[in-house]
Amino acid sequence: MELSKDSIEALVKMMKEETLLDIDSYSFVSPSAYDTAWLAMVPADSNQPCSMEPMFRVCLDWVLKNQTQEGFWGECDAHGNPTLESLPATLASVIALKKWNVGKENAEKGLAFIRANAEYLLAGHQNQFPRWFAIVFPGMIELARKTGLDLDFPHHLKGLLMDIFFEREQILESDKELAAGGAYPSLLSYLEVLPSLYAANEQEIMKNLSGDGSLFQSPSATACAFMATGNKDCLAYLQSLIEKCGNNGVPPTYPMDEELIKLGLANQLERLGLAEHFTQQIEEILTQVYQTYTKESSSEKSNSVASVATQLQKDSLAFRLLRMHGYNISPWSLCWFLNDDEIVDHIEKNQEFFSSVMLNVYRATDVMFSGEYELEEARSFSRKVLEKVVSKGTGSDNDVFTKSSAFQRMMEEELSLPWVARLDHLEHRAWIEQNEMNALWPGKTCFHRISRAKNEKLVQLAVADYEFRQSIYKKEMAELKSWCLKWGLSDMGFGREKTMYCYFAISASLSLPYDSHIRMLVAKSAILITVADDFFDMEASLNDLNILIDAVTRWDGTGVGGHSKAIFDALDNLVKETAEKYRQHQGTDITSYLQQIWCETFDSWLMEAKWSKSGYMPSTDEYLRTATTSIAAHTLVLPASFFLKSSSPNAEISPTAAEYKTITKLTMLITRLLNDIQSYQEIEDGKMNYALLYMKENPDANIDDSITFMRDLIDKKRKELFKHALMNGLSDLPVESRRLHLSCMKVFQMFFNSSNRYDSNTEMIQDIQKAIYVPLDVGTWKPLVPLPSLSGSNKELQTTISSQQLVIRPFKYQKRRIIGYQASLPIARRGYVNMFITPSFRLSFA
């Protein structure tokens, strides 16, 4: 489909009609093949285990109808690849089919998948299998063999399987108290796979049933409990589950929190870059959730360790989304768990299980206001948990990128680069390409995930939107370069040429409408600021600067020549163009306002030039009065604010420094300090810098002390800026203008977070390429390639696949590396090879 605004809008309309207008929680979340298969195993007569009829025929039918073309049942990542969860899910499904003697071909295909792909799916977890898997997979293997299934794993896998069984024994021995404290989820929630030596008796099962008749809200465990006890409450729970889910398969957990699912949808829309298309739907979700949180106190939170993961997942999503949308939500709605020593201890002992939850807690604390010490504590606690999980995974010899390594990278990236230094457009790209982005929250044996059909539509729309934006950005970048050439700004013979950097900064920092004029206005302004600032710093004499300042003050270029003329003419063109566009839309002339803000900026550059050339050292206060203007952040955001959706001719946008709103002053101060931290070496050129002036006023301080002071000040002021940008009632500026201020600050944080990326000729290139030019990578991998039966010792076998030749000679099994990819390539039994499909498909190995 050709990308266009109309095609995007058509996709949006389809999504609204099919997914968002009437959210069915249980259809939005992917069903659990594992749990559905367990319900399919329940006999119609619980008193007759050998009954020839299943009690829940609808579940058995679901298993028959929902095997993938590749042969597996169960979870896929966001790009359609099978996950580790697919192994026990496929075994459970095959066992259910075997039990009722149906679907023989389905069962054989499922077993072939396991034989061919077990090595690939297990390889990335060697020596660090998730606890749930080490409990469930051995139990399913034992049950499969008891059922009479011939798993026939390749010989080379037997050592790895023994390791998994040994790991299970260690877990069982260390957590003998089936339902009590210790590891989470408790062993009793895995009742269906516990070996007979550890199986719970009927009394223990009955003692741990919930009020709804379930065992820890787990369909699979409850099905097993019912088969073991015949308990009527368990049966009622299972019947309620079937009535709710019908033909759609059962979820990993029942019941599910519908508000959590809706928050997951809102979060997904925002992280995919689709929020602007679903503003009303997201707002409706948040309004409903906010009503719940205003009625609920922290003391009413569930303090059950069995539900703390789900509760914290919900609270972290709710806090971040509500705060980002301007709702007045208390930090204690998120931080309540810190007051419960049992829960804190529980999380610390089960760091692996809680890692995804702690990642969301950590992200929620990104938007912290001044004085919110409880959020500071939550951020510190969640970071320590994540760092420990990351350190355990670092250094493992993972030959294949699996779910664990993908999530590992997510945690590493979140910890290494703060949210405030990341730009929205690239964040959207990273999330679209992330193969675990469909995971909502952890369950007993798998993540609760967005259903495959709905996820495919979300990804389709996100890819279309992102790549349509790229097409717009490419066109605007070309126009911007032409403008710079026309006005002589590209080849001044001095200073920095930052056309691409300037456009990238505004286009990647804020999801403006496709046809927004703001991107070009801000980019042109930033280019002019860079050229003029360099002209004042390194090229012009004081006489030249005074002539240029006089021309800008009079707004008349008569008598100006050389570089000064090029700068003034480009500036005059920009102001006229901007004023005319605004007059056409609003009927108001803002020329004098634009001229005034630029005059103020040029005056500040002249003052700094005079300091530099005379050797004058101002006080830090005097310096900041000028330097917060010379950084020109206000020159970027205030004129652009006139063109934002809710701005009007009467918008409260002040034209002079003395009248700037607090949020503007905070933006000016933070951006100046960020710049100065990474550029204090420029004092050699005579340029002033806060870091060095601070040392002059504090003789006992060294440069590290100065930088520490500045970082602390930035952190304090940034929290104030967050509050002014996100909360209503603190500023007369429209919310869109306040968000533009926040984006401006984030751009400077991105440029100067740990180095001076703006002055580097190479550091930004990769980000710019990914934001504007490089297509998204959301390709899928299909794991099974059918082959003829292997026979004979010297024959070369060939088969044609998609008109390309796959050549295989008999070989001794070993892992092979393909340049540009990582793969495990065993020739498995029964005619399958496990591999990645590469663009050049002709492979030959001996």
Side-chain angles (χ1 to χ4, degrees), residues 285-533:
I285 291 172
L286 296 184
T287 298
Q288 176 186 333
V289 171
Y290 184 64
Q291 290 173 352
T292 300
Y293 276 81
T294 53
K295 296 174 184 176
E296 180 184 68
S297 67
S298 59
S299 61
E300 295 172 324
K301 298 284 186 183
S302 172
N303 60 2
S304 167
V305 293
S307 60
V308 66
T310 303
Q311 185 68 55
L312 270 177
Q313 180 78 6
K314 178 181 178 180
D315 292 342
S316 57
L317 287 178
F319 181 83
R320 183 181 179 94
L321 287 167
L322 289 170
R323 176 152 284 190
M324 289 295 292
H325 283 260
Y327 288 86
N328 185 20
I329 183 166
S330 167
W332 282 112
S333 65
L334 170 64
C335 303
W336 58 272
F337 72 98
L338 294 171
N339 288 334
D340 192 316
D341 292 339
E342 182 183 1
I343 289 178
V344 169
D345 182 63
H346 185 63
I347 294 171
E348 290 177 333
K349 288 180 178 178
N350 297 276
Q351 294 172 357
E352 174 196 287
F353 182 84
F354 281 93
S355 58
S356 63
V357 177
M358 287 295 101
L359 182 60
N360 277 290
V361 170
Y362 185 75
R363 293 187 72 248
T365 62
D366 286 334
V367 282
M368 192 188 312
F369 300 160
S370 297
E372 293 183 330
Y373 303 111
E374 57 273 66
L375 284 177
E376 295 273 12
E377 185 179 353
R379 187 172 184 84
S380 175
F381 176 79
S382 57
R383 185 177 181 92
K384 287 178 182 177
V385 170
L386 294 173
E387 287 174 340
K388 288 180 181 178
V389 174
V390 167
S391 66
K392 289 179 181 178
T394 302
S396 59
D397 184 18
N398 289 348
D399 289 330
V400 182
F401 286 141
T402 62
K403 181 179 81 68
S404 64
S405 59
F407 189 68
Q408 175 94 359
R409 292 195 301 275
M410 287 172 61
M411 291 187 290
E412 290 171 351
E413 290 164 4
E414 196 73 39
L415 294 173
S416 63
L417 186 65
W419 165 76
V420 74
R422 303 196 298 263
L423 303 188
D424 289 355
H425 186 56
L426 290 178
E427 284 283 273
H428 299 155
R429 181 188 182 111
W431 193 241
I432 294 169
E433 293 182 335
Q434 171 57 252
N435 65 350
E436 282 300 299
M437 64 86 165
N438 65 334
L440 295 171
W441 72 91
K444 185 183 84 173
T445 62
C446 63
F447 270 96
H448 296 73
R449 295 178 184 270
I450 301 171
S451 72
R452 194 177 308 180
K454 289 181 170 59
N455 183 71
E456 286 176 356
K457 291 174 183 176
L458 281 171
V459 172
Q460 178 189 9
L461 177 56
V463 170
D465 180 81
Y466 191 93
E467 294 187 346
F468 182 54
R469 285 190 172 278
Q470 284 186 312
S471 68
I472 294 172
Y473 296 167
K474 280 184 257 189
K475 180 181 177 182
E476 290 183 348
M477 179 72 85
E479 292 176 2
L480 190 63
K481 289 180 178 179
S482 296
W483 181 81
C484 290
L485 283 171
K486 177 181 178 181
W487 295 102
L489 300 178
S490 298
D491 189 22
M492 297 291 281
F494 64 88
R496 301 161 291 177
E497 203 293 303
K498 297 295 178 182
T499 302
M500 293 183 70
Y501 283 30
C502 293
Y503 181 78
F504 160 76
I506 179 58
S507 62
S509 64
L510 201 62
S511 295
L512 295 162
Y514 299 138
D515 57 354
S516 175
H517 170 66
I518 292 175
R519 286 186 297 271
M520 294 297 279
L521 167 59
V522 174
K524 289 177 180 179
S525 299
I527 292 166
L528 264 171
I529 289 166
T530 303
V531 171
D533 184 54

Side-chain angles (χ1 to χ4, degrees), residues 699-757:
D700 294 335
N702 57 30
I703 190 63
D704 291 335
D705 297 327
S706 182
I707 297 301
T708 298
F709 175 82
M710 293 169 72
R711 290 194 188 282
D712 290 343
L713 181 57
I714 289 171
D715 184 63
K716 175 184 176 183
K717 296 300 180 182
R718 187 164 50 221
K719 291 173 182 175
E720 293 178 25
L721 175 61
F722 283 158
K723 190 168 187 176
H724 281 267
L726 300 177
M727 301 301 294
N728 296 321
L730 298 176
S731 173
D732 295 331
L733 290 179
V735 63
E736 290 82 3
S737 176
R738 289 185 272 127
R739 290 303 180 96
L740 186 61
H741 281 73
L742 178 58
S743 294
C744 178
M745 183 272 291
K746 288 187 67 180
V747 165
F748 276 78
Q749 187 80 52
M750 178 272 299
F751 278 134
F752 303 111
N753 184 62
S754 58
S755 64
N756 187 344
R757 300 181 78 196

Side-chain angles (χ1 to χ4, degrees), residues 53-249:
E53 291 292 329
M55 177 175 286
F56 304 116
R57 181 76 200 192
V58 67
C59 291
L60 184 61
D61 290 341
W62 186 94
V63 171
L64 283 166
K65 295 175 183 177
N66 284 273
Q67 185 178 26
T68 66
Q69 290 183 349
E70 297 80 13
F72 69 91
W73 285 266
E75 303 307 316
C76 291
D77 65 22
H79 300 155
N81 305 315
T83 65
L84 189 65
E85 294 98 317
S86 65
L87 289 177
T90 299
L91 274 178
S93 299
V94 171
I95 292 167
L97 297 178
K98 173 74 173 177
K99 180 171 184 176
W100 305 117
N101 196 29
V102 296
K104 184 177 179 180
E105 290 185 4
N106 301 75
E108 289 179 352
K109 192 175 180 182
L111 291 175
F113 169 84
I114 292 173
R115 296 185 191 104
N117 292 274
E119 168 71 11
Y120 168 78
L121 292 168
L122 296 173
H125 296 269
Q126 291 188 37
N127 302 320
Q128 52 174 1
F129 289 101
R131 175 177 175 270
W132 71 264
F133 185 80
I135 296 171
V136 172
F137 193 50
M140 295 310 300
I141 290 175
E142 291 171 339
L143 183 58
R145 288 171 174 163
K146 184 178 179 181
T147 309
L149 291 170
D150 179 15
L151 298 181
D152 197 20
F153 286 108
H155 180 75
H156 61 270
L157 272 185
K158 291 182 179 179
L160 182 57
L161 293 174
M162 289 179 63
D163 289 342
I164 300 173
F165 273 80
F166 178 71
E167 189 172 338
R168 180 183 68 165
E169 292 305 311
Q170 289 183 310
I171 293 171
L172 294 175
E173 284 298 316
S174 66
D175 196 16
K176 291 180 180 178
E177 294 295 325
L178 294 180
Y184 179 80
S186 72
L187 283 182
L188 191 57
S189 67
Y190 297 102
L191 176 67
E192 72 276 9
V193 290
L194 293 179
S196 56
L197 183 63
Y198 293 89
N201 57 40
E202 183 172 345
Q203 182 180 2
E204 187 157 16
I205 293 173
M206 299 296 294
K207 183 177 68 174
N208 286 281
L209 289 180
S210 302
D212 60 5
S214 74
L215 198 59
F216 303 104
Q217 282 74 52
S218 167
S220 53
T222 307
C224 184
F226 173 66
M227 287 189 281
T229 67
N231 181 267
K232 293 181 179 179
D233 291 334
C234 291
L235 177 60
Y237 168 85
L238 296 175
Q239 290 172 332
S240 171
L241 170 58
I242 294 300
E243 182 179 354
K244 174 70 175 179
C245 299
N247 299 318
N248 298 321

